[in-house]
Amino acid sequence: MTLAPRDANDDARRWAMSHRWTRWLYLVSAILSLVTATARAHDVELTKVSVTFTARDTYQIDFHYDVNAWLLGVRPEHLTPAEIARLTAMPNEATDQRMHELREHILRNLRIRFDEGKAVPDLSIVDNPDRPASQPSHGSTLLRIVRLTGNVPPGAKSFDFWASRSFGNIALMIARKDGTHYAQQLLERAERSRPYALHGGPVDAGAWKVAGQYLWLGFEHILPKGLDHILFVLSLFLLSTKLGPLLWQVTAFTLAHSVSLALSTYGVITLSPRIVEPLIALSISAVAVENILTSKLHPWRPVVVFLFGLLHGLGFAGVLSELGLPRGQFATALVSFNIGVELGQLAVIALALTTVGWFRSRTWYRPRVVIPCSILIGATGLYWTVERIMT
């Protein structure tokens, strides 16, 4: 007579456990879908613009805006061989319509001025002459770009450039008539460039302005744009119930990515983003899986974090290569960007402490917070690993 209630209770517990795991699976799927949708939704983050003035008083502006991605309506990092095949199969009428829309979009959302007078350039689509340097972090190279050309008005003394927010930050580089590089400026979204003298030397931005720009860009690369780096830092936070061990891990991570960022930026080491980006995603999963398998912080953990930090530093270097560094203030921009990254990571930890840090000493903290969050982070990292290998 006593067996029936016990069997019923066991069935109820099994059903509850199954139901609980089913809910987690649904939640993981929902978050992965959200991550994918978000990655496709936001605007372009950076556009490289190269301006060259020729000896014949003409100008050429190479606008490194991915034409193929625009025609297909996808972000450059999602431009897979299958998408290129879809572009090839697109009817001529549809391609012509999309190309017309692109021309209208470009000309409507940028301004080229000589002595405050607006210039109307000719627009053409050309093969990208700088494909390796223009390769996105984890996508295909820009195959075709927009080229703007025109004549410099007679007697013009200065030139400036502006593009709307839809093109993101602008890495503006200007070359002399003999083709040598002579000026560079990083423009924030919808910021107008300073005037560049067409005759004589350029006026460089002040050190404080450069430092402020690159510090903010480093911070912004973590919050809100660096979701992969955020998840890695959160994985470090989850296993450490005490602040001391957490700081040791963060210090190891900081030292590692500072070293690899500097070495990569100065050209000492190079590694393709197609290798770096999947490994960064895999490092997120590895740390999350360790959080699930153990509740203790083993001595090798800071060493592993240091090695993973080297990978993340190479990822930061890829961002800096896209942004470009001012030649006259190279070290200032590099150090400022790295400080911005650190402030972003500390902000992530501060937010995590504010949200769940109060409960780290509770007995239910690991089963209800550490394990579920680590499962979600690990699944997201694996998804990104596969995605970045396939694209």
Side-chain angles (χ1 to χ4, degrees):
M1 296 297 294
T2 59
L3 293 177
R6 186 170 61 250
D7 291 342
N9 290 336
D10 289 343
D11 291 340
R13 280 194 294 270
R14 282 194 294 270
W15 180 89
M17 183 175 296
S18 174
H19 183 63
R20 186 180 302 115
W21 281 104
T22 301
R23 285 186 298 173
W24 276 115
L25 288 174
Y26 279 129
L27 183 58
V28 169
S29 300
I31 289 180
L32 291 179
S33 300
L34 178 62
V35 167
T36 305
T38 302
R40 290 176 177 265
H42 51 63
D43 288 338
V44 173
E45 295 181 4
L46 177 75
T47 301
K48 177 183 172 184
V49 179
S50 301
V51 183
T52 304
F53 294 102
T54 70
R56 293 172 294 178
D57 287 329
T58 63
Y59 63 87
Q60 174 180 300
I61 302 176
D62 283 350
F63 206 68
H64 291 245
Y65 191 68
D66 201 310
V67 174
N68 290 343
W70 166 271
L71 296 178
L72 290 165
V74 301
R75 285 182 54 79
E77 60 263 33
H78 298 293
L79 196 60
T80 62
E83 294 285 3
I84 294 296
R86 184 164 69 88
L87 176 61
T88 304
M90 185 180 293
N92 291 336
E93 296 80 4
T95 303
D96 292 342
Q97 177 61 32
R98 289 293 291 164
M99 193 68 74
H100 174 75
E101 293 172 359
L102 173 61
R103 293 173 187 273
E104 292 294 318
H105 175 69
I106 295 289
L107 295 176
R108 185 175 60 250
N109 289 281
L110 62 82
R111 300 288 184 273
I112 298 169
R113 295 182 179 89
F114 291 93
D115 296 341
E116 297 297 329
K118 180 182 175 182
V120 180
D122 295 324
L123 187 151
S124 59
I125 307 301
V126 300
D127 292 336
N128 185 2
D130 191 23
R131 286 174 58 180
S134 301
Q135 183 169 344
S137 297
H138 35 274
S140 63
T141 56
L142 277 70
L143 302 178
R144 296 190 293 170
I145 61 172
V146 175
R147 176 166 289 173
L148 308 170
T149 56
N151 295 316
V152 178
K157 297 180 180 179
S158 66
F159 161 86
D160 68 79
F161 180 89
W162 171 90
S164 73
R165 296 181 61 86
S166 62
F167 298 112
N169 297 323
I170 300 290
L172 179 64
M173 284 157 281
I174 300 179
R176 293 183 185 275
K177 293 181 179 181
D178 59 5
T180 59
H181 173 94
Y182 87 99
Q184 180 172 330
Q185 185 180 2
L186 182 63
L187 306 176
E188 298 180 6
R189 291 178 182 269
E191 180 186 1
R192 182 178 175 181
S193 76
R194 63 181 179 271
Y196 291 89
L198 297 177
H199 307 284
V203 179
D204 293 329
W208 286 108
K209 182 175 178 59
V210 170
Q213 282 184 323
Y214 280 85
L215 186 145
W216 173 249
L217 286 168
F219 184 90
E220 189 180 40
H221 187 65
I222 300 297
L223 280 175
K225 295 178 180 178
L227 186 55
D228 47 358
H229 303 297
I230 290 174
L231 294 185
F232 187 85
V233 173
L234 287 178
S235 292
L236 301 183
F237 168 83
L238 287 171
L239 189 60
S240 301
T241 56
K242 295 181 179 180
L243 192 58
L246 174 61
L247 292 178
W248 274 111
Q249 293 179 78
V250 173
T251 300
F253 184 68
T254 298
L255 290 174
H257 76 64
S258 298
V259 169
S260 58
L261 172 59
L263 292 177
S264 181
T265 304
Y266 279 97
V268 178
I269 57 173
T270 57
L271 197 61
S272 170
R274 295 184 179 275
I275 298 174
V276 172
E277 293 299 327
L279 289 177
I280 288 176
L282 193 60
S283 73
I284 297 170
S285 291
V287 176
V289 168
E290 186 181 5
N291 291 349
I292 298 170
L293 296 179
T294 181
S295 60
K296 300 170 67 175
L297 189 64
H298 295 284
W300 64 76
R301 174 79 170 226
V303 177
V304 173
V305 169
F306 182 88
L307 295 176
F308 287 157
L310 295 175
L311 285 174
H312 285 250
L314 295 176
F316 295 140
V319 175
L320 276 183
S321 68
E322 294 177 7
L323 292 173
L325 289 170
R327 294 191 177 186
Q329 300 180 33
F330 191 91
T332 299
L334 178 61
V335 172
S336 300
F337 182 85
N338 201 50
I339 292 174
V341 168
E342 295 318 304
L343 292 176
Q345 292 172 171
L346 293 175
V348 172
I349 293 174
L351 289 172
L353 284 170
T354 304
T355 306
V356 297
W358 312 99
F359 313 117
R360 290 186 298 165
S361 60
R362 303 294 180 88
T363 56
W364 49 262
Y365 177 73
R366 177 171 172 78
R368 295 187 185 181
V369 176
V370 175
I371 300 297
C373 290
S374 296
I375 291 173
L376 293 175
I377 292 172
T380 303
L382 286 176
Y383 175 83
W384 281 339
T385 302
V386 174
E387 181 188 45
R388 294 175 183 183
I389 290 174
M390 296 297 291
T391 56

